[in-house]
Amino acid sequence: MNSGKVGQLSYGAAVTVHSQSNGWDEIAYAGKNAWVSAQYLKIGGKLSTDSSKPAAPVDQFTGTVTASQLNVRDKNSLDGSVVGSVSKGQSFKILDEQNNWVKIEYQSGKTGWAAGWFFEKKKNGPAAAPSQSVNNSSVSMLHNGTNIRKGTSTGTAVIFRANQGDSFEILSVEKNWYEIALPNGTSGFVAGWIVSVKGSAPQIERPGAEKHTKNKTVVIDPGHGGRDNGTTGVRGTMEKTLTLKTAQLLYDKLRAAGTNVILTRNNDHYISLGSRVSSSHYHDSDAFISIHYDSINDRTVRGMTTYYYNSKQKPLGEQIHSSVIGKTMLKDRGTRFGDYHVIRENKQAAVLLELGYLSNPAEEMLVNTPQYQEAVANGIFEGLARYFKNN
């Protein structure tokens, strides 16, 4: 931080990263090289040593809208002005892709940017493209002697075997399989349901994930309530209202899967921290999930953080965190230790989720959308299923 300031970047701006060192990224800026803190960048590809090298073409992909109604903007950011809209089921050729936003021709002769996480992407041609980003993602083997195969089927040849804890870079996702980079420079495929994922790639579950949550007891704790508003977003969103919305959506999904679900509050009432923990103990919960949204003075900070207090709670936090990041494409701020009452005093497997920053204007808009709420609830559900499957 002792170096002089040479300029500033806007949210959503795309830059070329040449190198990384001690938490800082070297970028191309105004025709020169400059350094910016890595915590404010999301790397969307391999580091470049040649800023003139053209990016891989993306117009070979077609995207189908998955949201009921999706705004098209004049730039690849929620700060962009709305220039049009598209509807669920419509398909468009993807002309460009930056920072998880896609450029499409939404009307004849008119182009704009839309949130890429609301598109299902397919490659134009016989091969399927991954529907979600796998940048900087890896898989870790859960068992010794895991088969790495030539193709996306158990009927294809085994070309490599890996052991528990071995980690490999993810190159793509095809069907329910990950294509991974092998030590000899080739690639192979591993079944998605026998590995754990680190990074933005989706965690694949076998169909029927609900069987792992059936008859389990889960206590969902919507943070704050009543006289305790929690934080308030720059656009006026009250944390207590949003946590309850997320909790109720998750409650419905778990109940439908046969889970025994308890909400520490189901309306706008104040509940003490001690009472929230007591509910977890009284019901002998298999998992306790406290739902929150974050805030900080720096309005540029964004992303999701998951907290645990002890080693018993860490696996639950890691599974839920990985799944939610994969579903929402939020900036990954990691799974870490946190000294919070509802997890510190909790004898059960318990975690506290911070599901985005209300202090960031763009992220506040995002987390309020029905599509985001649906993605978060699905992510927590699938993370729970994977945790119960392995524990």
Side-chain angles (χ1 to χ4, degrees):
M1 296 296 289
N2 295 326
S3 300
K5 176 180 174 183
V6 296
Q8 64 183 29
L9 299 171
S10 300
Y11 177 78
V15 294
T16 299
V17 177
H18 294 305
S19 65
Q20 296 174 306
S21 177
N22 299 320
W24 290 78
D25 289 344
E26 184 184 17
I27 65 170
Y29 179 79
K32 299 179 180 179
N33 287 0
W35 291 86
V36 63
S37 175
Q39 65 179 311
Y40 299 123
L41 291 184
K42 183 169 185 178
I43 303 298
K46 295 183 179 179
L47 300 186
S48 173
T49 57
D50 181 4
S51 60
S52 65
K53 185 177 181 180
V58 295
D59 60 359
Q60 60 184 307
F61 296 110
T62 296
T64 302
V65 181
T66 60
S68 56
Q69 195 78 11
L70 183 62
N71 287 330
V72 180
R73 300 177 183 272
D74 63 356
K75 61 181 180 179
N76 57 342
S77 163
L78 287 170
D79 294 330
S81 299
V82 176
V83 294
S85 66
V86 292
S87 302
K88 185 174 182 178
Q90 287 186 283
S91 295
F92 302 91
K93 177 186 274 191
I94 295 176
L95 305 176
D96 194 5
E97 186 169 7
Q98 296 179 17
N99 301 318
N100 290 323
W101 287 73
V102 296
K103 186 177 184 181
I104 60 173
E105 185 177 9
Y106 63 97
Q107 290 181 11
S108 180
K110 295 183 178 180
T111 60
W113 293 86
W117 54 92
F118 294 130
F119 284 80
E120 179 179 351
K121 292 195 298 180
K122 291 184 179 179
K123 191 170 184 178
N124 299 328
S131 60
Q132 292 182 319
S133 170
V134 297
N135 292 334
N136 302 314
S137 298
S138 62
V139 294
S140 181
M141 302 298 126
L142 299 176
H143 309 286
N144 288 330
T146 298
N147 291 329
I148 312 300
R149 298 183 179 272
K150 188 175 182 179
T152 57
S153 165
T154 55
T156 58
V158 175
I159 58 174
F160 191 82
R161 282 190 172 88
N163 292 322
Q164 182 178 5
D166 290 348
S167 182
F168 302 87
E169 179 189 0
I170 299 175
L171 302 177
S172 68
V173 183
E174 294 191 22
K175 302 176 183 177
N176 291 324
W177 295 68
Y178 296 108
E179 182 186 11
I180 60 176
L182 298 178
N184 62 3
T186 64
S187 66
F189 293 88
V190 62
W193 57 89
I194 58 174
V195 297
S196 62
V197 173
K198 182 178 180 181
S200 61
Q203 176 66 66
I204 293 171
E205 288 286 348
R206 270 191 187 277
E210 62 274 5
K211 70 181 180 183
H212 302 301
T213 63
K214 188 174 183 179
N215 297 324
K216 297 292 187 179
T217 298
V218 176
V219 174
I220 306 172
D221 175 39
H224 310 285
R227 65 176 184 268
D228 176 13
N229 291 336
T231 190
T232 300
V234 292
R235 301 176 187 272
T237 302
M238 286 193 291
E239 183 183 5
K240 67 174 184 178
T241 304
L242 200 56
T243 60
L244 184 59
K245 180 187 295 185
T246 308
Q248 288 173 333
L249 190 56
L250 177 60
Y251 175 91
D252 290 341
K253 290 182 180 296
L254 287 168
R255 280 294 298 270
T259 310
N260 178 29
V261 197
I262 298 94
L263 285 168
T264 58
R265 67 179 180 95
N266 58 11
N267 50 36
D268 187 21
H269 282 157
Y270 173 79
I271 306 291
S272 70
L273 298 179
S275 295
R276 297 169 194 258
V277 174
S278 295
S279 179
S280 179
H281 294 164
Y282 176 79
H283 294 286
D284 192 25
S285 66
D286 296 297
F288 174 95
I289 304 168
S290 190
I291 295 174
H292 291 261
Y293 288 85
D294 225 331
S295 181
I296 197 171
N297 289 334
D298 185 348
R299 292 189 176 189
T300 66
V301 176
R302 57 191 174 88
M304 174 190 176
T305 314
T306 297
Y307 294 97
Y308 62 87
Y309 184 75
N310 57 46
S311 58
K312 175 183 177 180
Q313 300 169 346
K314 187 177 180 180
L316 174 64
E318 290 176 336
Q319 295 291 3
I320 292 178
H321 185 86
S322 174
S323 182
V324 173
I325 290 294
K327 292 289 184 184
T328 64
M329 304 306 293
L330 281 183
K331 178 181 174 65
D332 186 351
R333 302 185 65 83
T335 306
R336 61 184 74 173
F337 168 84
D339 188 10
Y340 297 101
H341 185 101
V342 292
I343 53 176
R344 184 186 67 236
E345 303 301 323
N346 211 315
K347 298 177 183 178
Q348 313 302 116
V351 294
L352 186 147
L353 311 178
E354 295 282 4
L355 297 170
Y357 278 80
L358 298 182
S359 51
N360 182 305
E363 195 148 275
E364 181 186 8
M365 288 177 61
L366 173 65
V367 299
N368 272 288
T369 63
Q371 295 91 346
Y372 176 85
Q373 290 293 314
E374 181 74 17
V376 162
N378 285 336
I380 298 174
F381 175 83
E382 291 187 11
L384 276 168
R386 185 159 188 92
Y387 169 76
F388 289 139
K389 177 183 178 181
N390 297 325
N391 293 274

